[in-house]
């Protein structure tokens, strides 16, 4: 079961922060129409509206304050702040325009995004974890499986070593048994001859050596 779970998550291959990125991207694309409308409204207010926009109004105010500074240079700080405000407005407008230019709705990409997001949630339910925790859960299962595989390899190695030692023991035991049998026969003969010298011509001494 563990191996199957890891294989399933390996196939899906969710990145470490991918789920939150998928959510954010899905939210952005799902609201692309509202984004486009609000971007256009913001750009109009900042500089695109011919009748009234923030940039043109700041420019008008700057024209006035520059004249004021010519009368009293203590107002120079006000003029500087307005200049900074104008720069901020222009940079903000540029950022928003860049965002608007790159905002596009790709139905095929959106479908792929929804499919992957759905699969992530499905796997999260299956593994009883929050979608945001799926990546870490996957890594934990990989570590657990690796540990089990290592234990199996160690067990196989130990079994092989035990088999080798057993074979060596049996070989040594067989040699010892053969040696004992040879010496037992010699001892049989010697003892038998000694007994017969005691006027027991039919006596026979035998030593049996068994190897189990």
């Amino acid at each position: 079961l563990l191996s199957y779970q890891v294989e399933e998550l390996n196939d899906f291959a969710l990145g470490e922060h991918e789920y939150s990125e998928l959510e954010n991207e899905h939210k952005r694309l799902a609201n692309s129409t509202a984004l486009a409308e609000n971007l256009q409204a913001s750009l109009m207010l900042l500089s695109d509206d011919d009748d009234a926009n923030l940039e043109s109004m700041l420019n008008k105010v700057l024209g006035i304050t520059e004249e004021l500074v010519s009368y009293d240079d203590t107002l120079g700080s006000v003029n500087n702040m307005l200049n900074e405000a104008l720069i901020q407005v222009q940079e903000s407008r540029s950022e928003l325009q860049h965002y608007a230019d790159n905002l596009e709705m790709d139905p095929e990409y959106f479908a792929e995004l929804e499919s992957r997001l759905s699969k992530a949630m499905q796997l999260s339910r299956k593994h009883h974890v929050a979608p945001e925790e799926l990546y870490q859960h996957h890594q934990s299962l990989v570590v657990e499986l690796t540990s089990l595989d290592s234990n199996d390899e160690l067990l196989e190695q130990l079994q092989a070593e035990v088999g080798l030692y057993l074979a060596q023991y049996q070989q040594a035991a067989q040699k010892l048994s053969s040696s004992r049998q040879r010496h037992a026969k010699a001892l049989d003969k010697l003892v038998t001859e000694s007994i017969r010298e005691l006027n027991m011509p039919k006596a026979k001494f035998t030593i049996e050596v068994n190897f189990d």
Side-chain angles (χ1 to χ4, degrees):
L1 177 61
L2 179 60
S3 179
Y4 169 76
Q5 290 176 329
V6 170
E7 183 179 357
E8 183 179 44
L9 291 172
N10 283 346
D11 290 341
F12 186 58
L14 185 71
E16 184 172 3
H17 304 294
E18 185 182 351
Y19 183 78
S20 60
E21 293 169 356
L22 288 171
E23 273 196 318
N24 290 335
E25 184 71 356
H26 182 269
K27 184 188 296 183
R28 184 181 73 84
L29 293 178
N31 294 283
S32 58
T33 301
L35 274 170
E37 291 175 353
N38 284 290
L39 281 167
Q40 188 59 38
S42 298
L43 290 169
M44 291 291 289
L45 290 170
L46 286 171
S47 65
D48 292 353
D49 192 329
D50 294 333
D51 295 329
N53 64 72
L54 194 54
E55 186 175 347
S56 64
M57 286 189 288
L58 279 171
N59 275 314
K60 287 179 182 179
V61 175
L62 274 168
I64 296 171
T65 56
E66 285 173 359
E67 185 175 352
L68 290 173
V69 171
S70 68
Y71 303 144
D72 186 351
D73 57 12
T74 60
L75 294 172
S77 60
V78 174
N79 194 66
N80 290 337
M81 286 187 286
L82 288 170
N83 262 312
E84 290 174 3
L86 178 60
I87 292 171
Q88 293 293 324
V89 167
Q90 291 171 337
E91 290 181 351
S92 298
R93 193 260 177 213
S94 178
E95 288 286 332
L96 288 174
Q97 185 63 61
H98 177 74
Y99 187 94
D101 291 342
N102 290 279
L103 180 66
E104 57 182 49
M105 179 58 180
D106 183 346
E108 184 176 346
Y109 173 62
F110 185 68
E112 292 175 0
L113 192 68
E114 280 199 316
S115 175
R116 188 156 179 80
L117 198 59
S118 175
K119 181 66 174 179
M121 291 188 287
Q122 176 189 341
L123 286 172
S124 298
R125 289 192 296 270
K126 185 175 182 179
H127 289 266
H128 307 290
V129 296
E132 298 82 358
E133 300 169 356
L134 187 60
Y135 171 83
Q136 191 57 51
H137 176 69
H138 178 200
Q139 302 311 305
S140 298
L141 292 182
V142 169
V143 171
E144 184 179 351
L145 180 61
T146 301
S147 176
L148 289 176
D149 288 343
S150 298
N151 290 338
D152 289 342
E153 290 176 4
L154 179 59
L155 180 59
E156 290 177 3
Q157 181 181 348
L158 290 174
Q159 288 174 336
E161 290 178 358
V162 168
L164 177 62
Y165 293 146
L166 180 59
Q168 292 174 344
Y169 164 76
Q170 290 175 335
Q171 185 179 9
Q174 182 65 54
K175 288 181 179 179
L176 179 61
S177 176
S178 299
S179 176
R180 285 176 175 175
Q181 287 176 354
R182 287 196 303 272
H183 286 87
K185 289 179 180 179
L187 184 59
D188 286 349
K189 183 178 179 182
L190 180 62
V191 173
T192 298
E193 290 175 353
S194 298
I195 292 174
R196 287 177 178 176
E197 289 176 359
L198 298 174
N199 295 321
M200 291 185 286
K202 294 183 179 181
K204 184 178 181 181
F205 181 80
T206 303
I207 298 176
E208 291 186 1
V209 178
N210 295 320
F211 172 71
D212 294 328

